[in-house]
Amino acid sequence: MTGPNGTKTAGAATAPGRVPGARKGSDGPAARPRRGTDGPGARPRGRHPGWTPWLYLLPALVVLGGLLLYPIYQLGLISFLEYTQAQVSGGEPTSFQGLGNYTALFSDPQFWQVLLATVLFAAACVVTTLAVGCALAVLLTRVWAVPRLALMLAALGAWATPAVTGSTVWVFLFDPDFGPVNRLLGLGDFSWTYGRLSAFALVLFEVVWCSFPFVMVTVYAGIKAIPSEVLEAAALDGASQWRIWRSVTAPMLRPILVVVTIQSIIWDFKVFTQIYVMTNGGGIAGQNLVLNVYAYQKAFASSEYSLGSAIGVVMLLILLAVTLVYLRLLRRQGEEL
């Protein structure tokens, strides 16, 4: 473009698509990286970062597939077959039953009684475990170093004790003839395993004893992560210890409490060893059966392997539903999954 005096002005016309002042092949604003070169943010040549994490996870996925997925597949397959001792020994051919095993299971009144007992027992164990674990976690923040160390070691010892060993010790402690607990309480020859509620209470004590250390240690770590200024400010405002826990500490510990609650539900819902050892296989006339022991009796005591597998599938679906609820709660709280 030419000005009035015949000289070229700064607003000279440029070719379409060209940026003023940018030379051809220069690194101006409109310059594009050549084909085959790596521009800013471009994916490197010959690499696939989207597959890299899966390559690292591949060995673990193969192991989990062999140890977890294949048994679940076999469990589901057997639940749709007629599979008893006759089929195991080869005396009769295996036949496909469809939903026949599930129909027989759901039409059995004992199954619903055992399911209700399992849900109530697991709920009592979870609530008691959380209460004891949270109370002791708060206590750890109030005591000196030596009592805190002693409590931590005692709790970790209970946590590390095998379930069979712990159950046997608790049966001895509450034995009507030789146990020290009845003598201290003045109960005489009272049998804890004779009545249904007392037997469930005895098992609950043992389950809480071996489960509360996980809750205590996890919640204690969460409390120590809370800034001390927040708790001091609440105390200066005149809040009591219970009010500080309910209005300040517990809301800040909500993600941790969700994790320990869901894990406690999963652990307590599938309790087997404590019930089997302490009640001698489910109590008198099966009054202390839970789903895990009930499935064991159906599969191995009665040789009805298909019904035992159906109970296992039902338990798997229930625990899967609990896990999905856990994931949904994490999403609501904005946690990364």
Side-chain angles (χ1 to χ4, degrees), residues 103-313:
T103 303
L105 182 65
F106 294 149
S107 61
D108 185 5
Q110 187 181 16
F111 167 76
W112 296 105
Q113 296 174 3
V114 173
L115 177 61
L116 178 61
T118 304
V119 172
L120 295 178
F121 175 74
C125 289
V126 170
V127 172
T128 309
T129 302
L130 291 177
V132 174
C134 292
L136 291 178
V138 175
L139 179 63
L140 288 176
T141 62
R142 301 284 189 268
V143 298
W144 295 346
V146 175
R148 179 168 60 247
L149 179 60
L151 180 57
M152 291 283 288
L153 292 177
L156 293 178
W159 194 12
T161 303
V164 175
T165 305
S167 301
T168 305
V169 170
W170 275 80
V171 169
F172 170 75
L173 291 176
F174 288 83
D175 186 83
D177 298 323
F178 306 102
V181 174
N182 282 11
R183 297 180 182 179
L184 292 176
L185 299 179
L187 297 178
D189 58 351
F190 174 76
S191 177
W192 288 80
T193 58
Y194 182 79
R196 185 187 187 195
L197 294 180
S198 60
F200 270 128
L202 180 59
V203 178
L204 182 144
F205 295 155
E206 202 280 334
V207 171
V208 173
W209 174 75
C210 66
S211 301
F212 84 86
F214 169 75
V215 178
M216 183 190 72
V217 173
T218 307
V219 174
Y220 173 71
I223 293 176
K224 297 300 290 184
I226 297 176
S228 59
E229 295 82 2
V230 176
L231 303 179
E232 292 174 359
L236 290 176
D237 289 340
S240 61
Q241 294 298 326
W242 168 247
R243 184 61 184 273
I244 292 176
W245 167 262
R246 183 171 61 88
S247 302
V248 179
T249 307
M252 298 185 72
L253 293 177
R254 187 175 292 113
I256 294 178
L257 294 177
V258 169
V259 171
V260 297
T261 300
I262 298 300
Q263 290 187 346
S264 297
I265 291 174
I266 294 175
W267 291 341
D268 296 338
F269 189 82
K270 58 185 185 67
V271 166
F272 174 82
T273 305
Q274 291 87 343
I275 289 286
Y276 193 83
V277 173
M278 301 179 71
T279 64
N280 196 18
I284 300 174
Q287 63 181 0
N288 297 113
L289 285 176
V290 292
L291 279 180
N292 241 349
V293 181
Y294 184 58
Y296 176 83
Q297 287 191 353
K298 285 293 185 182
F300 298 101
S302 303
S303 298
E304 297 178 356
Y305 302 106
S306 53
L307 282 179
S309 299
I311 298 173
V313 171

Side-chain angles (χ1 to χ4, degrees), residues 30-42:
R32 298 180 180 177
R34 295 178 183 178
R35 189 173 183 180
T37 60
D38 295 335

